[in-house]
Coordinates of all heavy atoms in Angstrom, one line a residue:
M1 N 115.1 94.4 113.7 CA 115.2 93.6 112.5 C 116.6 93.9 111.9 O 116.9 95.0 111.7 CB 114.1 93.8 111.6 CG 114.3 93.2 110.2 SD 112.9 93.1 109.2 CE 112.4 91.4 109.6
K2 N 117.3 92.8 111.5 CA 118.6 93.0 110.9 C 118.5 93.6 109.6 O 119.3 94.5 109.3 CB 119.2 91.6 110.8 CG 120.7 91.6 110.5 CD 121.3 90.2 110.6 CE 122.8 90.3 110.7 NZ 123.4 89.1 110.9
N3 N 117.6 93.3 108.7 CA 117.5 93.9 107.4 C 116.3 94.8 107.4 O 115.1 94.4 107.2 CB 117.2 92.8 106.3 CG 117.2 93.3 104.9 OD1 117.3 94.5 104.7 ND2 117.1 92.5 104.0
A4 N 116.6 96.1 107.7 CA 115.5 97.1 107.9 C 114.7 97.4 106.6 O 113.6 97.9 106.7 CB 116.1 98.4 108.4
I5 N 115.2 97.0 105.5 CA 114.5 97.3 104.2 C 113.3 96.3 104.0 O 112.4 96.6 103.3 CB 115.4 97.4 103.0 CG1 114.7 98.0 101.9 CG2 115.9 96.0 102.6 CD1 115.7 98.5 100.8
L6 N 113.4 95.1 104.6 CA 112.5 94.0 104.3 C 111.0 94.4 104.7 O 110.1 94.2 103.9 CB 112.9 92.7 105.0 CG 112.0 91.5 104.8 CD1 111.9 91.2 103.3 CD2 112.4 90.3 105.5
P7 N 110.8 95.1 105.9 CA 109.4 95.5 106.2 C 108.9 96.5 105.2 O 107.7 96.4 104.8 CB 109.5 96.1 107.6 CG 110.7 95.5 108.2 CD 111.7 95.3 107.0
W8 N 109.7 97.3 104.6 CA 109.2 98.3 103.6 C 108.9 97.5 102.3 O 107.9 97.9 101.7 CB 110.3 99.4 103.3 CG 110.4 100.3 104.5 CD1 111.5 100.4 105.4 CD2 109.5 101.3 104.9 NE1 111.2 101.3 106.3 CE2 110.0 101.9 106.0 CE3 108.3 101.7 104.4 CZ2 109.4 103.0 106.7 CZ3 107.6 102.8 105.1 CH2 108.2 103.4 106.2
C9 N 109.7 96.6 101.9 CA 109.4 95.8 100.7 C 108.1 95.0 100.9 O 107.3 95.0 99.9 CB 110.5 94.8 100.4 SG 112.1 95.6 99.9
V10 N 107.9 94.4 102.0 CA 106.6 93.7 102.3 C 105.5 94.6 102.3 O 104.4 94.3 101.7 CB 106.7 92.9 103.6 CG1 105.4 92.4 104.0 CG2 107.7 91.8 103.5
L11 N 105.6 95.8 102.8 CA 104.6 96.8 102.8 C 104.2 97.2 101.4 O 103.0 97.3 101.1 CB 105.0 98.1 103.7 CG 103.9 99.2 103.8 CD1 102.7 98.7 104.5 CD2 104.6 100.4 104.4
I12 N 105.2 97.5 100.6 CA 104.9 97.9 99.2 C 104.2 96.7 98.5 O 103.2 96.9 97.7 CB 106.2 98.3 98.4 CG1 106.8 99.5 99.1 CG2 105.9 98.5 97.0 CD1 105.9 100.7 99.1
L13 N 104.7 95.5 98.7 CA 104.0 94.3 98.1 C 102.5 94.2 98.5 O 101.6 94.0 97.8 CB 104.8 93.0 98.4 CG 104.2 91.8 97.8 CD1 104.1 91.8 96.3 CD2 105.0 90.6 98.3
A14 N 102.3 94.4 99.8 CA 101.0 94.4 100.4 C 100.1 95.5 99.8 O 98.9 95.2 99.5 CB 101.0 94.6 101.9
G15 N 100.7 96.7 99.5 CA 99.9 97.7 98.8 C 99.6 97.3 97.4 O 98.5 97.6 96.9
L16 N 100.5 96.7 96.7 CA 100.2 96.2 95.3 C 99.1 95.1 95.4 O 98.3 95.1 94.5 CB 101.5 95.7 94.7 CG 102.5 96.8 94.4 CD1 103.8 96.1 93.9 CD2 102.0 97.8 93.4
L17 N 99.1 94.3 96.4 CA 98.1 93.3 96.5 C 96.7 93.9 96.8 O 95.7 93.4 96.4 CB 98.4 92.3 97.6 CG 99.5 91.3 97.2 CD1 100.0 90.5 98.4 CD2 99.0 90.3 96.1
E18 N 96.7 95.1 97.4 CA 95.5 95.8 97.6 C 94.9 96.2 96.2 O 93.7 96.1 96.0 CB 95.7 97.1 98.4 CG 94.4 97.8 98.7 CD 94.6 99.0 99.6 OE1 95.8 99.4 99.9 OE2 93.6 99.7 99.9
T19 N 95.8 96.6 95.3 CA 95.3 96.8 93.9 C 94.7 95.6 93.3 O 93.7 95.6 92.6 CB 96.5 97.3 93.0 OG1 97.0 98.5 93.5 CG2 96.1 97.5 91.6
V20 N 95.4 94.4 93.5 CA 94.9 93.2 93.0 C 93.5 92.9 93.5 O 92.6 92.5 92.7 CB 95.8 92.0 93.3 CG1 95.2 90.6 92.9 CG2 97.2 92.2 92.6
W21 N 93.3 93.0 94.8 CA 92.0 92.7 95.3 C 90.9 93.7 94.9 O 89.7 93.3 94.7 CB 91.9 92.4 96.8 CG 92.1 93.4 97.8 CD1 93.3 93.6 98.6 CD2 91.2 94.4 98.3 NE1 93.1 94.7 99.4 CE2 91.8 95.2 99.3 CE3 89.9 94.7 97.9 CZ2 91.2 96.2 100.0 CZ3 89.3 95.8 98.6 CH2 89.9 96.5 99.6
A22 N 91.3 94.9 94.7 CA 90.3 95.9 94.2 C 89.8 95.6 92.8 O 88.6 95.6 92.5 CB 90.8 97.3 94.3
V23 N 90.8 95.2 92.0 CA 90.5 94.9 90.6 C 89.7 93.6 90.5 O 88.7 93.5 89.7 CB 91.8 94.8 89.7 CG1 91.5 94.3 88.3 CG2 92.4 96.2 89.6
C24 N 90.1 92.6 91.3 CA 89.4 91.3 91.3 C 87.9 91.5 91.9 O 87.0 90.8 91.4 CB 90.1 90.3 92.1 SG 91.6 89.7 91.3
M25 N 87.8 92.4 92.8 CA 86.5 92.7 93.4 C 85.5 93.2 92.3 O 84.4 92.8 92.2 CB 86.5 93.6 94.6 CG 85.2 93.8 95.3 SD 85.2 94.9 96.7 CE 86.3 94.1 97.8
K26 N 86.1 94.1 91.5 CA 85.3 94.7 90.3 C 84.9 93.5 89.4 O 83.8 93.4 89.0 CB 86.2 95.7 89.6 CG 85.6 96.2 88.3 CD 84.6 97.2 88.4 CE 84.3 97.8 87.1 NZ 82.9 98.4 87.1
A27 N 85.9 92.6 89.1 CA 85.6 91.5 88.2 C 84.6 90.5 88.8 O 84.0 89.8 88.1 CB 86.9 90.8 87.8
S28 N 84.5 90.5 90.1 CA 83.6 89.5 90.8 C 82.2 89.8 90.6 O 81.3 89.0 90.9 CB 84.0 89.4 92.3 OG 83.4 90.5 93.0
N29 N 81.9 91.1 90.2 CA 80.5 91.5 89.9 C 79.7 91.3 91.2 O 78.6 90.6 91.2 CB 79.9 90.8 88.7 CG 78.6 91.4 88.2 OD1 78.5 92.6 88.3 ND2 77.7 90.6 87.7
G30 N 80.1 91.9 92.3 CA 79.4 91.8 93.6 C 79.5 90.5 94.2 O 78.5 90.0 94.8
F31 N 80.6 89.8 94.0 CA 80.8 88.4 94.5 C 79.9 87.4 93.9 O 79.5 86.4 94.6 CB 80.8 88.4 96.0 CG 81.9 89.2 96.7 CD1 81.7 90.4 97.3 CD2 83.2 88.7 96.6 CE1 82.7 91.1 97.9 CE2 84.3 89.4 97.2 CZ 84.0 90.6 97.8
T32 N 79.5 87.6 92.7 CA 78.6 86.7 92.0 C 79.4 85.8 91.1 O 78.8 84.8 90.5 CB 77.5 87.4 91.2 OG1 78.1 88.2 90.2 CG2 76.6 88.2 92.2
R33 N 80.6 86.0 90.9 CA 81.5 85.2 90.0 C 82.5 84.5 90.9 O 83.2 85.2 91.6 CB 82.1 86.1 88.9 CG 81.1 86.7 88.0 CD 81.6 87.5 86.9 NE 82.5 86.7 86.0 CZ 83.6 87.1 85.5 NH1 84.1 88.3 85.8 NH2 84.3 86.3 84.8
L34 N 82.6 83.2 90.8 CA 83.4 82.4 91.7 C 84.9 82.8 91.7 O 85.5 83.2 92.8 CB 83.3 80.9 91.4 CG 84.2 80.0 92.3 CD1 83.8 80.1 93.7 CD2 84.1 78.6 91.8
W35 N 85.6 82.7 90.6 CA 87.1 82.8 90.6 C 87.5 84.2 90.9 O 88.5 84.4 91.7 CB 87.7 82.2 89.4 CG 87.6 80.7 89.4 CD1 86.9 80.0 88.6 CD2 88.2 79.9 90.3 NE1 87.0 78.7 89.0 CE2 87.8 78.6 90.0 CE3 89.1 80.0 91.4 CZ2 88.2 77.4 90.8 CZ3 89.5 78.9 92.2 CH2 89.0 77.7 91.8
P36 N 86.9 85.2 90.4 CA 87.3 86.6 90.8 C 87.0 86.8 92.3 O 87.8 87.5 93.0 CB 86.5 87.5 90.0 CG 86.2 86.7 88.7 CD 86.0 85.3 89.2
S37 N 86.0 86.2 92.9 CA 85.7 86.3 94.3 C 86.8 85.6 95.1 O 87.2 86.1 96.2 CB 84.3 85.7 94.6 OG 83.3 86.4 93.9
V38 N 87.2 84.4 94.6 CA 88.3 83.7 95.3 C 89.6 84.5 95.3 O 90.2 84.7 96.4 CB 88.5 82.3 94.7 CG1 89.8 81.7 95.2 CG2 87.3 81.4 94.9
W39 N 89.9 85.1 94.2 CA 91.2 85.9 94.1 C 91.0 87.1 94.9 O 92.0 87.6 95.5 CB 91.5 86.2 92.6 CG 92.1 85.0 91.9 CD1 91.5 84.3 90.9 CD2 93.3 84.4 92.2 NE1 92.3 83.3 90.5 CE2 93.4 83.3 91.3 CE3 94.3 84.6 93.1 CZ2 94.5 82.4 91.3 CZ3 95.4 83.8 93.1 CH2 95.5 82.7 92.2
T40 N 89.9 87.7 95.0 CA 89.7 88.9 95.9 C 90.0 88.5 97.3 O 90.7 89.2 98.0 CB 88.2 89.4 95.8 OG1 87.9 89.8 94.4 CG2 88.0 90.5 96.7
S41 N 89.4 87.4 97.8 CA 89.6 87.0 99.2 C 91.0 86.7 99.5 O 91.6 87.1 100.5 CB 88.7 85.8 99.5 OG 87.3 86.1 99.3
L42 N 91.7 85.9 98.6 CA 93.1 85.5 98.8 C 94.0 86.7 98.8 O 94.9 86.9 99.7 CB 93.5 84.5 97.7 CG 92.9 83.1 97.8 CD1 93.3 82.3 96.6 CD2 93.2 82.5 99.1
S43 N 93.8 87.6 97.8 CA 94.7 88.8 97.7 C 94.4 89.8 98.9 O 95.4 90.4 99.4 CB 94.7 89.5 96.4 OG 93.3 89.8 96.1
M44 N 93.2 89.8 99.3 CA 92.9 90.7 100.4 C 93.5 90.2 101.7 O 94.1 90.9 102.5 CB 91.3 90.7 100.6 CG 90.9 91.8 101.6 SD 89.0 91.8 101.7 CE 88.6 92.5 100.1
A45 N 93.5 88.9 101.9 CA 94.1 88.3 103.1 C 95.6 88.5 103.1 O 96.2 88.8 104.1 CB 93.7 86.8 103.2
A46 N 96.2 88.3 101.9 CA 97.7 88.4 101.8 C 98.0 89.9 102.0 O 99.1 90.2 102.6 CB 98.1 87.9 100.5
S47 N 97.2 90.8 101.5 CA 97.5 92.2 101.6 C 97.5 92.7 103.1 O 98.4 93.3 103.6 CB 96.5 93.0 100.8 OG 96.8 94.4 100.9
V48 N 96.4 92.3 103.7 CA 96.3 92.7 105.1 C 97.3 92.0 106.0 O 97.9 92.6 106.9 CB 94.9 92.4 105.7 CG1 94.7 92.6 107.2 CG2 93.9 93.3 104.9
G49 N 97.6 90.7 105.6 CA 98.7 90.0 106.4 C 100.0 90.7 106.2 O 100.8 90.8 107.2
G50 N 100.4 91.1 105.0 CA 101.6 91.8 104.8 C 101.7 93.1 105.5 O 102.7 93.5 106.1
L51 N 100.6 93.9 105.6 CA 100.5 95.1 106.4 C 100.7 94.8 107.8 O 101.6 95.4 108.5 CB 99.2 95.8 106.2 CG 98.9 97.0 107.1 CD1 99.9 98.1 106.8 CD2 97.5 97.5 106.9
A52 N 100.0 93.8 108.3 CA 100.2 93.4 109.8 C 101.6 93.0 110.1 O 102.1 93.4 111.1 CB 99.2 92.3 110.1
W53 N 102.2 92.2 109.2 CA 103.6 91.8 109.5 C 104.5 93.0 109.5 O 105.4 93.1 110.4 CB 104.0 90.8 108.5 CG 105.4 90.3 108.7 CD1 105.7 89.2 109.5 CD2 106.6 90.8 108.2 NE1 107.1 89.0 109.5 CE2 107.7 90.0 108.7 CE3 106.9 91.8 107.3 CZ2 109.0 90.2 108.4 CZ3 108.3 92.0 107.0 CH2 109.3 91.2 107.6
S54 N 104.4 93.9 108.5 CA 105.3 95.0 108.5 C 105.1 96.0 109.7 O 106.0 96.7 110.1 CB 105.1 95.8 107.2 OG 103.9 96.4 107.1
L55 N 103.9 96.0 110.3 CA 103.7 96.9 111.4 C 104.4 96.4 112.7 O 104.5 97.2 113.6 CB 102.2 96.9 111.7 CG 101.3 97.8 110.7 CD1 99.9 97.7 111.1 CD2 101.8 99.2 110.7
K56 N 105.0 95.3 112.6 CA 105.9 94.9 113.8 C 107.1 95.8 113.9 O 107.6 96.0 115.0 CB 106.4 93.4 113.6 CG 105.4 92.4 113.7 CD 106.1 91.0 113.6 CE 105.2 89.9 113.3 NZ 106.0 88.6 113.2
W57 N 107.5 96.4 112.7 CA 108.7 97.2 112.7 C 108.5 98.6 112.3 O 109.3 99.5 112.5 CB 109.8 96.5 111.8 CG 110.2 95.2 112.3 CD1 111.1 95.0 113.3 CD2 109.7 93.9 111.9 NE1 111.3 93.7 113.5 CE2 110.4 93.0 112.7 CE3 108.8 93.5 111.0 CZ2 110.2 91.6 112.6 CZ3 108.5 92.2 110.9 CH2 109.2 91.2 111.7
L58 N 107.4 98.9 111.6 CA 107.2 100.2 111.1 C 106.1 101.0 111.9 O 105.2 100.4 112.4 CB 106.7 100.1 109.6 CG 107.6 99.4 108.7 CD1 107.0 99.3 107.3 CD2 109.0 100.0 108.6
P59 N 106.2 102.3 111.9 CA 105.2 103.1 112.6 C 103.8 103.0 111.9 O 103.8 103.1 110.6 CB 105.7 104.5 112.6 CG 106.8 104.5 111.6 CD 107.3 103.1 111.4
V60 N 102.8 102.9 112.6 CA 101.5 102.6 112.0 C 101.0 103.7 111.1 O 100.4 103.5 110.1 CB 100.4 102.3 113.1 CG1 100.1 103.5 114.0 CG2 99.1 101.7 112.5
G61 N 101.2 105.0 111.5 CA 100.7 106.1 110.7 C 101.3 106.1 109.3 O 100.6 106.2 108.3
S62 N 102.6 106.0 109.2 CA 103.3 106.0 107.9 C 103.0 104.7 107.2 O 102.6 104.8 106.0 CB 104.8 106.1 108.1 OG 105.1 107.3 108.7
A63 N 103.0 103.6 107.8 CA 102.8 102.3 107.1 C 101.4 102.2 106.5 O 101.2 101.9 105.4 CB 103.1 101.2 108.0
Y64 N 100.4 102.6 107.3 CA 99.0 102.5 106.8 C 98.8 103.5 105.7 O 98.2 103.1 104.7 CB 98.0 102.7 108.0 CG 96.6 102.6 107.5 CD1 96.1 101.3 107.3 CD2 95.8 103.7 107.3 CE1 94.8 101.1 106.9 CE2 94.5 103.5 106.8 CZ 94.0 102.3 106.6 OH 92.7 102.1 106.2
A65 N 99.3 104.7 105.8 CA 99.1 105.7 104.7 C 99.8 105.2 103.5 O 99.3 105.4 102.3 CB 99.6 107.0 105.2
I66 N 101.0 104.7 103.6 CA 101.7 104.2 102.4 C 101.0 103.0 101.8 O 100.8 102.9 100.6 CB 103.2 103.8 102.8 CG1 103.9 105.1 103.1 CG2 103.9 103.0 101.7 CD1 105.3 105.0 103.7
W67 N 100.5 102.1 102.6 CA 99.8 100.9 102.1 C 98.6 101.3 101.3 O 98.4 100.8 100.2 CB 99.4 100.0 103.3 CG 98.6 98.8 103.0 CD1 99.0 97.7 102.4 CD2 97.2 98.6 103.4 NE1 98.0 96.7 102.3 CE2 96.9 97.3 103.0 CE3 96.3 99.3 104.1 CZ2 95.6 96.7 103.2 CZ3 95.0 98.7 104.3 CH2 94.7 97.5 103.8
T68 N 97.8 102.2 101.9 CA 96.6 102.6 101.2 C 96.9 103.5 100.0 O 96.2 103.4 98.9 CB 95.6 103.4 102.1 OG1 96.3 104.5 102.6 CG2 95.1 102.6 103.2
G69 N 98.0 104.3 100.1 CA 98.4 105.1 98.9 C 98.9 104.3 97.7 O 98.5 104.5 96.6
V70 N 99.7 103.2 98.0 CA 100.1 102.4 97.0 C 98.9 101.6 96.3 O 98.8 101.5 95.1 CB 101.2 101.3 97.5 CG1 101.5 100.2 96.5 CG2 102.5 102.1 97.9
G71 N 98.0 101.2 97.1 CA 96.9 100.5 96.6 C 96.0 101.4 95.8 O 95.5 101.0 94.7
A72 N 95.8 102.6 96.3 CA 94.9 103.6 95.6 C 95.6 104.0 94.2 O 94.9 104.0 93.2 CB 94.6 104.8 96.4
A73 N 96.8 104.3 94.3 CA 97.5 104.7 93.1 C 97.6 103.6 92.1 O 97.3 103.8 90.9 CB 98.9 105.2 93.4
G74 N 97.9 102.4 92.5 CA 97.9 101.2 91.6 C 96.6 100.9 91.0 O 96.5 100.6 89.8
T75 N 95.5 101.0 91.8 CA 94.2 100.8 91.2 C 93.8 101.9 90.2 O 93.2 101.5 89.2 CB 93.2 100.7 92.4 OG1 93.6 99.7 93.3 CG2 91.8 100.4 91.9
A76 N 94.1 103.1 90.5 CA 93.8 104.2 89.6 C 94.6 104.0 88.3 O 94.0 104.2 87.2 CB 94.1 105.5 90.2
V77 N 95.9 103.7 88.4 CA 96.7 103.5 87.1 C 96.1 102.3 86.4 O 96.0 102.3 85.1 CB 98.2 103.3 87.5 CG1 99.0 102.8 86.3 CG2 98.7 104.6 88.0
F78 N 95.8 101.2 87.0 CA 95.3 100.0 86.4 C 94.0 100.4 85.6 O 93.8 100.0 84.5 CB 95.0 98.9 87.4 CG 94.5 97.6 86.7 CD1 95.5 96.6 86.4 CD2 93.2 97.4 86.4 CE1 95.1 95.4 85.7 CE2 92.8 96.2 85.8 CZ 93.7 95.2 85.5
G79 N 93.1 101.1 86.3 CA 91.9 101.5 85.6 C 92.1 102.4 84.4 O 91.4 102.2 83.4
M80 N 93.1 103.3 84.5 CA 93.4 104.1 83.3 C 94.0 103.3 82.2 O 93.7 103.5 81.0 CB 94.2 105.3 83.7 CG 93.5 106.3 84.5 SD 94.5 107.8 84.8 CE 95.6 107.2 86.1
V81 N 94.9 102.4 82.5 CA 95.6 101.7 81.5 C 94.8 100.5 80.9 O 94.8 100.4 79.6 CB 97.0 101.1 82.0 CG1 97.7 100.2 81.0 CG2 97.9 102.3 82.4
F82 N 94.1 99.8 81.7 CA 93.4 98.6 81.2 C 91.9 98.7 81.1 O 91.3 97.8 80.4 CB 93.8 97.4 82.1 CG 95.3 97.1 82.0 CD1 96.1 97.4 83.1 CD2 95.8 96.4 80.9 CE1 97.5 97.1 83.1 CE2 97.2 96.1 80.9 CZ 98.0 96.5 81.9
L83 N 91.3 99.6 81.8 CA 89.8 99.6 81.8 C 89.3 100.9 81.1 O 88.1 101.1 81.2 CB 89.3 99.6 83.3 CG 89.8 98.4 84.1 CD1 89.3 98.4 85.5 CD2 89.3 97.1 83.4
G84 N 90.1 101.6 80.5 CA 89.6 102.8 79.8 C 89.1 104.0 80.6 O 88.4 104.8 80.1
E85 N 89.5 104.0 81.9 CA 89.1 105.1 82.7 C 89.8 106.4 82.2 O 90.9 106.3 81.6 CB 89.4 104.8 84.2 CG 88.5 103.7 84.7 CD 88.8 103.3 86.1 OE1 89.6 104.0 86.8 OE2 88.2 102.4 86.6
P86 N 89.2 107.6 82.5 CA 89.8 108.8 81.9 C 91.2 109.1 82.4 O 91.5 108.8 83.6 CB 88.8 109.9 82.4 CG 87.7 109.2 83.1 CD 88.0 107.8 83.2
K87 N 92.0 109.7 81.5 CA 93.4 110.1 81.8 C 93.5 111.6 81.8 O 94.2 112.1 81.0 CB 94.4 109.4 80.9 CG 94.4 107.9 80.9 CD 95.3 107.4 79.8 CE 95.2 105.9 79.6 NZ 94.4 105.5 78.5
T88 N 92.7 112.2 82.6 CA 92.7 113.7 82.6 C 94.0 114.3 83.3 O 94.6 113.6 84.1 CB 91.5 114.2 83.3 OG1 91.5 113.9 84.7 CG2 90.2 113.7 82.7
A89 N 94.2 115.5 83.0 CA 95.4 116.2 83.7 C 95.2 116.2 85.2 O 96.2 116.0 85.9 CB 95.5 117.6 83.1
L90 N 94.0 116.5 85.6 CA 93.7 116.5 87.1 C 94.0 115.2 87.7 O 94.6 115.1 88.8 CB 92.3 117.0 87.4 CG 91.9 117.1 88.8 CD1 92.9 118.1 89.6 CD2 90.5 117.6 89.0
R91 N 93.6 114.1 87.1 CA 93.8 112.7 87.6 C 95.3 112.5 87.7 O 95.8 111.9 88.7 CB 93.1 111.7 86.8 CG 91.6 111.6 87.0 CD 91.0 110.4 86.3 NE 91.1 109.3 87.3 CZ 90.6 108.1 87.1 NH1 90.1 107.8 85.9 NH2 90.8 107.2 88.0
M92 N 96.0 112.8 86.6 CA 97.4 112.5 86.6 C 98.2 113.3 87.6 O 99.1 112.8 88.3 CB 98.0 112.8 85.2 CG 97.3 112.0 84.1 SD 97.4 110.2 84.4 CE 98.9 109.9 83.6
T93 N 97.8 114.6 87.7 CA 98.4 115.5 88.8 C 98.1 114.9 90.2 O 99.0 114.9 91.0 CB 97.9 116.9 88.6 OG1 98.2 117.4 87.3 CG2 98.5 117.8 89.7
S94 N 96.9 114.5 90.4 CA 96.6 113.9 91.7 C 97.4 112.7 92.0 O 97.8 112.5 93.1 CB 95.1 113.6 91.7 OG 94.3 114.8 91.6
L95 N 97.6 111.8 91.0 CA 98.4 110.6 91.2 C 99.9 111.0 91.6 O 100.5 110.4 92.4 CB 98.4 109.7 90.0 CG 97.2 108.8 89.9 CD1 97.1 108.2 88.5 CD2 97.2 107.8 91.0
V96 N 100.4 112.0 90.9 CA 101.8 112.5 91.1 C 101.8 113.0 92.6 O 102.8 112.7 93.3 CB 102.2 113.5 90.1 CG1 103.5 114.2 90.6 CG2 102.4 112.9 88.7
L97 N 100.8 113.8 93.0 CA 100.8 114.3 94.4 C 100.7 113.1 95.4 O 101.4 113.2 96.4 CB 99.7 115.3 94.6 CG 99.9 116.6 93.8 CD1 98.6 117.4 93.9 CD2 101.0 117.4 94.4
L98 N 99.9 112.1 95.1 CA 99.8 111.0 96.0 C 101.1 110.3 96.1 O 101.5 109.9 97.2 CB 98.7 110.0 95.4 CG 98.4 108.8 96.2 CD1 98.0 109.1 97.6 CD2 97.3 107.9 95.5
L99 N 101.7 110.0 95.0 CA 103.0 109.3 95.0 C 104.1 110.2 95.7 O 104.9 109.6 96.5 CB 103.5 109.0 93.6 CG 102.7 107.9 92.9 CD1 103.1 107.7 91.5 CD2 102.7 106.6 93.7
A100 N 104.0 111.5 95.6 CA 105.0 112.4 96.3 C 104.7 112.3 97.8 O 105.7 112.2 98.6 CB 104.8 113.8 95.9
G101 N 103.5 112.1 98.2 CA 103.1 111.9 99.6 C 103.6 110.6 100.1 O 104.2 110.5 101.3
I102 N 103.5 109.6 99.4 CA 104.0 108.3 99.8 C 105.5 108.3 100.0 O 106.1 107.9 101.0 CB 103.7 107.2 98.7 CG1 102.2 106.9 98.7 CG2 104.4 105.9 98.9 CD1 101.7 106.1 97.5
V103 N 106.2 108.9 99.0 CA 107.7 109.0 99.1 C 108.1 109.9 100.3 O 109.0 109.6 101.1 CB 108.3 109.6 97.8 CG1 109.8 109.9 98.0 CG2 108.1 108.6 96.7
G104 N 107.4 111.0 100.5 CA 107.6 111.9 101.6 C 107.5 111.2 103.0 O 108.3 111.3 103.9
L105 N 106.4 110.4 103.1 CA 106.2 109.6 104.3 C 107.3 108.6 104.5 O 107.8 108.5 105.7 CB 104.9 108.9 104.3 CG 103.7 109.8 104.6 CD1 102.4 109.0 104.2 CD2 103.6 110.2 106.0
K106 N 107.7 107.9 103.5 CA 108.8 107.0 103.6 C 110.1 107.6 104.0 O 110.8 107.2 105.0 CB 109.0 106.2 102.3 CG 110.3 105.4 102.2 CD 110.6 104.4 103.3 CE 111.8 103.6 103.2 NZ 112.9 104.0 104.1
V107 N 110.5 108.7 103.4 CA 111.7 109.4 103.6 C 111.7 110.0 105.1 O 112.8 110.0 105.7 CB 112.0 110.5 102.6 CG1 113.1 111.5 103.0 CG2 112.2 109.9 101.2
S108 N 110.6 110.5 105.5 CA 110.5 111.1 106.8 C 110.4 110.1 108.0 O 110.4 110.5 109.1 CB 109.3 112.1 106.9 OG 108.1 111.4 106.8
T109 N 110.2 108.9 107.7 CA 110.1 107.8 108.7 C 111.5 107.3 109.1 O 112.2 106.9 108.2 CB 109.2 106.7 108.3 OG1 107.9 107.3 107.9 CG2 109.0 105.7 109.3
T110 N 111.8 107.4 110.3 CA 113.2 107.0 110.7 C 113.3 105.5 111.0 O 114.4 105.0 111.2 CB 113.6 107.7 112.0 OG1 112.6 107.4 113.0 CG2 113.6 109.2 111.8
H111 N 112.3 104.7 110.9 CA 112.4 103.3 111.2 C 112.7 102.5 109.9 O 112.2 102.8 108.9 CB 111.1 102.7 111.8 CG 110.9 103.2 113.2 ND1 110.3 104.4 113.5 CD2 111.2 102.7 114.4 CE1 110.3 104.6 114.8 NE2 110.8 103.5 115.3

């Protein structure tokens, strides 16, 4: 690929969409509410589609770990900021370690 940064950008966006579908799934109340269920399905499809597209150029081990890490970190931050979930020192430290792992995987990947 001519622009090697594009697959990484798509991968990060796909990870952020993982956060969207997780939050919408919570709002769907077990898929009993129509619009949150629709948004869950659409963002899930877009997220997996972005991951699949980026895997054409990126190594699967790094890409999948980064995708899930971005989604997990984004969902945890959303929960703490908007849903009143606890902001303990252990949670914050764990998020920093998760983000350090994501950055480490990106930096160590040669593609």
